[in-house]
Amino acid sequence: MTLVAIDLGTTNSLIAVFTEKGSELIPNAMGEFLTPSAVGLNNANEIVVGVEAKNRLVTHPEKTHARFKRFMGTNKDFKLGRKTYRAEELSAMVLRSLKSDAERHLGTKVQRAIISVPAYFNDVQRKATYAAGEMAGLKVERLINEPTAAALAYGLNSKDDENTFIVIDLGGGTFDVSILEIFEGIMEVRSSAGDAFLGGEDFTDAIVKDFGEQIGSDFEALSPSARANLRDLADRAKKGLSEKDAVKIKFNTKSKTYELDLSRDRFEEISKDLIKKLRLPIQRAISDAGLRAENIDRVVMVGGATRMDIVRQHITRLLKLFPEHRLDPDHVIALGAAVQAGLVDRHEALEDVVMTDVCPFTLGTEVAIELPNGQHEGGHFQPVIERNTVIPVSRVVTNGTIRKGQREVTLQIFQGESAWVRDNVPLGTLNVKLSPKKDEFEYFDIRFTYDVSGILEVLVTVHSSQKTERLILEGNPGALSKAEIDKRFKELEKLKVHPKDKAENSAVMSRLERAYENQLGDIRQVIQRRIAEFSAVLETQKETDIALMRDELMKWVESIENMDIF
Ligand code: AMP
């Protein structure tokens, strides 16, 4: 039975198969490889999918939906006529349409699929993707991470030696960066970072703004349809610059014709800020993976907007490597997912692991923050274990009550990267009873310990009573018995010591303090600064950073001690 590969994208979706000739894309009924991920109702109130729905986005916005991928697994309702749908149901309609295109093209029933998902998709979003497949009548054999698929498309799995590569995916509205490593047939996503509000459309906006300046005072008076037309022209100008050094555009309104132009230099000038914004997620992904730019062996480009010369040039300059762009950036993920389908069918699937030994998301709690007027505002996110931290890991933070005499706190635990808990995924709640003295604040330690099996233990210890409350949150409930969980966390007990209380660290600290006592004059200030630096790194509870500084300080303090010996 045929196994198809599907790139279920935010803007467009594609379906492919693996044949004896390699990966092959399957065209839809219109003969196109790209099916817009849009769903709507037509005038006869029938569901339409793809380009027909996309074309109705402007004319019938209330009866059409697009860009719903980002809401997979959420409770958001999308109204279509009298019915409402969840994002996974809309995705299922796109999948069903791709499935029937494939059945028509291949002349056989299609019931098995591999679907690509962003590397940063959490468990809820992944389950929603499985559910969408099922609703479309597809058995989802596995999900493949988009950057892994991109790497497979470029055959980066065929190298015998170890390889590190970066996948840069700039789509219409989002920017995703992933660092991957392949070792002995296992492809691992070491880190991922991105910007959910940066994409090719922002570059189009910049051109519209520039055209607006060329049009002058008439610009403000343009009708909505003239504006839509201008935006369309701006998008074409942007694409034109991928081939030419300058483009000229005729813009006709009812009353006037404007001649607008855009050169590569001008485009570079007006996109300066956007180009700058590309840098941060790239740097973050590299440093989260514990690497430097020079450790990257290859660069793979995905997404329509990586066709822009200025984007490629910037990446080349930043990474000092030429990006690979032999394949159409819109096709890369589907082609790579099809390679995986080929491997699965030959029973030699490439292992695709998302950051196996790191926590892929930030775990934390809700906190209230004091505003300048003295009032507290809840709903803020306080990270305890940050994403891409190597696991198992145990971290502690200390919080206090916001009112004196407060008798209870309700600790809410979340996973996600937003500063606001409402945008993160709720994991659980823990009620902690307090018995403070009247008119006193109460303090408590919140310790998160995260195990490789995806189990999070939350311990809250109240300072005054030293009583501890415990909550266990399982990523995959029921996979382990209570006794097994308790045994695992018993083994992790040694992690639950704050680094400043660990013998090897306190030894260095006391040596520094002794050196301070023994010295006089300017050197004391230097020692004091080093003590403060070490304290700060101990507070981060980051083992590798601490170990590095500890070793360096040992040597340093020894040289200070030796100053006294003549
Ligand atoms: P995607 O979501 O991957 O389909 O990316 C679509 C984005 O890529 C849109 O903003 C397009 O305008 C942009 N894009 C597509 N083709 C080109 C091109 N030749 N040059 C520049 N941008 C392009």
Side-chain angles (χ1 to χ4, degrees):
M1 246 197 314
T2 320
L3 176 62
V4 293
I6 295 174
D7 168 8
L8 185 60
T10 307
T11 357
N12 291 301
S13 294
L14 298 91
I15 187 162
V17 274
F18 195 80
T19 69
E20 63 278 8
K21 283 188 255 156
S23 294
E24 277 188 29
L25 296 172
I26 298 176
N28 60 24
M30 323 282 291
E32 309 273 348
F33 292 138
L34 268 65
T35 297
S37 306
V39 175
L41 284 183
N42 66 11
N43 293 340
N45 271 342
E46 295 158 341
I47 299 266
V48 287
V49 174
V51 76
E52 193 178 346
K54 186 187 165 190
N55 289 342
R56 292 170 65 86
L57 264 177
V58 182
T59 50
H60 299 78
E62 72 299 341
K63 281 188 169 184
T64 324
H65 294 291
R67 309 190 70 79
F68 37 79
K69 176 172 169 175
R70 60 179 73 195
F71 298 105
M72 291 286 273
T74 69
N75 292 331
K76 186 177 165 68
D77 281 327
F78 294 86
K79 226 164 137 11
L80 270 185
R82 259 182 261 137
K83 285 182 88 176
T84 57
Y85 297 92
R86 294 278 156 88
E88 45 266 47
E89 292 174 290
L90 298 177
S91 296
M93 295 175 197
V94 175
L95 291 173
R96 207 173 293 133
S97 159
L98 296 169
K99 175 178 184 277
S100 73
D101 287 335
E103 288 177 341
R104 193 195 57 249
H105 182 81
L106 301 168
T108 148
K109 273 227 146 316
V110 169
Q111 282 163 332
R112 298 161 63 223
I114 287 180
I115 302 179
S116 61
V117 289
Y120 57 79
F121 250 26
N122 63 27
D123 208 41
V124 178
Q125 293 163 305
R126 284 169 195 260
K127 286 197 177 116
T129 310
Y130 272 112
E134 243 165 63
M135 282 185 253
L138 289 167
K139 180 171 179 289
V140 182
E141 300 255 324
R142 63 161 70 203
L143 301 179
I144 180 169
N145 294 303
E146 287 169 4
T148 306
L152 279 182
Y154 276 99
L156 300 191
N157 60 319
S158 59
K159 287 266 171 285
D160 292 332
D161 47 352
E162 196 181 340
N163 245 318
T164 303
F165 28 87
I166 186 164
V167 177
I168 295 187
D169 183 349
L170 187 64
T174 53
F175 180 45
D176 298 318
V177 183
S178 311
I179 305 282
L180 280 85
E181 249 169 29
I182 182 153
F183 184 63
E184 293 179 350
I186 296 183
M187 185 102 61
E188 186 183 350
V189 180
R190 287 283 308 271
S191 64
S192 53
D195 187 335
F197 301 97
L198 178 63
E201 296 309 302
D202 298 299
F203 289 82
T204 309
D205 286 344
I207 301 174
V208 171
K209 191 163 166 261
D210 191 59
F211 283 174
E213 279 166 23
Q214 294 182 41
I215 291 168
S217 56
D218 296 350
F219 179 65
E220 289 305 321
L222 290 180
S223 69
S225 77
R227 270 172 199 254
N229 185 18
L230 183 65
R231 196 183 158 74
D232 205 41
L233 292 172
D235 194 55
R236 274 198 262 162
K238 176 179 77 175
K239 290 175 182 166
L241 283 186
S242 302
E243 272 126 47
K244 285 186 263 172
D245 285 337
V247 284
K248 275 201 184 309
I249 297 266
K250 266 207 175 83
F251 172 50
N252 298 315
T253 64
K254 283 200 181 104
S255 51
K256 221 166 156 181
T257 295
Y258 302 87
E259 282 235 347
L260 307 169
D261 50 18
L262 183 68
S263 66
R264 273 197 189 177
D265 288 348
R266 179 70 189 151
F267 186 39
E268 201 168 332
E269 171 71 28
I270 61 175
S271 315
K272 239 184 8 224
D273 291 343
L274 295 170
I275 288 288
K276 236 192 251 160
K277 278 173 88 178
L278 291 170
R279 198 175 311 155
L280 193 67
I282 296 177
Q283 283 168 338
R284 204 167 82 176
I286 296 175
S287 73
D288 277 3
L291 300 172
R292 290 161 179 276
E294 55 267 29
N295 302 125
I296 308 284
D297 301 312
R298 296 171 76 171
V299 189
V300 167
M301 299 289 233
V302 186
T306 58
R307 291 199 185 93
M308 281 184 279
D309 247 7
I310 49 169
V311 170
R312 283 195 205 152
Q313 274 171 14
H314 181 69
I315 307 257
T316 310
R317 237 176 283 137
L318 199 64
L319 299 171
K320 301 192 178 61
L321 279 175
F322 285 104
E324 327 224 349
H325 54 86
R326 173 170 52 83
L327 301 171
D328 183 324
D330 287 324
H331 300 169
V332 173
I333 290 170
L335 291 172
V339 173
Q340 177 70 295
L343 290 168
V344 168
D345 264 357
R346 275 187 277 134
H347 309 290
E348 49 177 274
L350 174 112
E351 291 290 328
D352 164 30
V353 206
V354 199
M355 303 185 266
T356 37
D357 50 357
V358 295
C359 169
F361 322 105
T362 299
L363 298 164
T365 69
E366 186 199 359
V367 276
I369 284 182
E370 191 173 350
L371 301 175
N373 64 8
Q375 300 220 321
H376 283 85
E377 180 183 67
H380 293 268
F381 185 53
Q382 166 182 254
V384 180
I385 296 177
E386 296 202 272
R387 71 163 195 284
N388 294 339
T389 304
V390 176
I391 50 179
V393 61
S394 188
R395 294 270 163 89
V396 66
V397 293
T398 303
N399 280 6
T401 52
I402 54 176
R403 275 177 288 111
K404 287 180 180 168
Q406 196 175 319
R407 306 198 66 82
E408 190 182 43
V409 283
T410 306
L411 192 72
Q412 297 201 65
I413 295 124
F414 292 85
Q415 145 190 322
E417 307 308 322
S418 167
W420 297 98
V421 294
R422 59 166 186 258
D423 300 325
N424 291 332
V425 182
L427 299 179
T429 303
L430 182 62
N431 275 315
V432 184
K433 294 264 177 285
L434 309 167
S435 43
K437 289 205 192 86
K438 211 166 168 289
D439 288 338
E440 274 187 16
F441 291 108
E442 178 69 278
Y443 294 90
F444 45 91
D445 288 343
I446 305 167
R447 176 172 286 284
F448 277 21
T449 307
Y450 193 63
D451 180 30
V452 279
S453 50
I455 300 174
L456 174 67
E457 180 198 56
V458 181
L459 294 175
V460 180
T461 307
V462 179
H463 283 195
S464 65
S465 65
Q466 281 300 302
K467 277 204 190 126
T468 299
E469 294 281 346
R470 181 179 192 230
L471 175 70
I472 292 287
L473 296 163
E474 293 169 78
N476 189 7
L480 293 175
S481 70
K482 187 174 174 308
E484 283 169 322
I485 294 175
D486 286 347
K487 184 165 166 272
R488 271 170 188 260
F489 281 93
K490 187 114 204 89
E491 283 163 13
L492 298 180
E493 213 48 48
K494 59 179 184 305
L495 289 179
K496 297 183 194 169
V497 180
H498 196 290
K500 65 177 186 277
D501 299 324
K502 286 192 177 156
E504 63 269 34
N505 297 327
S506 56
V508 174
M509 191 55 102
S510 52
R511 224 165 137 182
L512 285 167
E513 286 164 357
R514 207 174 51 233
Y516 182 90
E517 285 167 26
N518 289 341
Q519 299 296 328
L520 287 173
D522 293 348
I523 187 72
R524 274 192 149 184
Q525 280 176 27
V526 183
I527 301 171
Q528 194 160 44
R529 210 164 44 234
R530 305 253 43 200
I531 289 175
E533 278 168 21
F534 193 43
S535 282
V537 80
L538 289 173
E539 281 311 320
T540 66
Q541 302 168 61
K542 291 184 179 164
E543 292 295 344
T544 4
D545 295 358
I546 293 170
L548 275 175
M549 186 174 255
R550 189 177 59 225
D551 291 350
E552 190 250 318
L553 280 176
M554 283 287 264
K555 289 192 195 109
W556 184 78
V557 76
E558 208 168 288
S559 68
I560 301 270
E561 288 163 356
N562 288 341
M563 286 194 332
D564 299 333
I565 308 167
F566 297 99

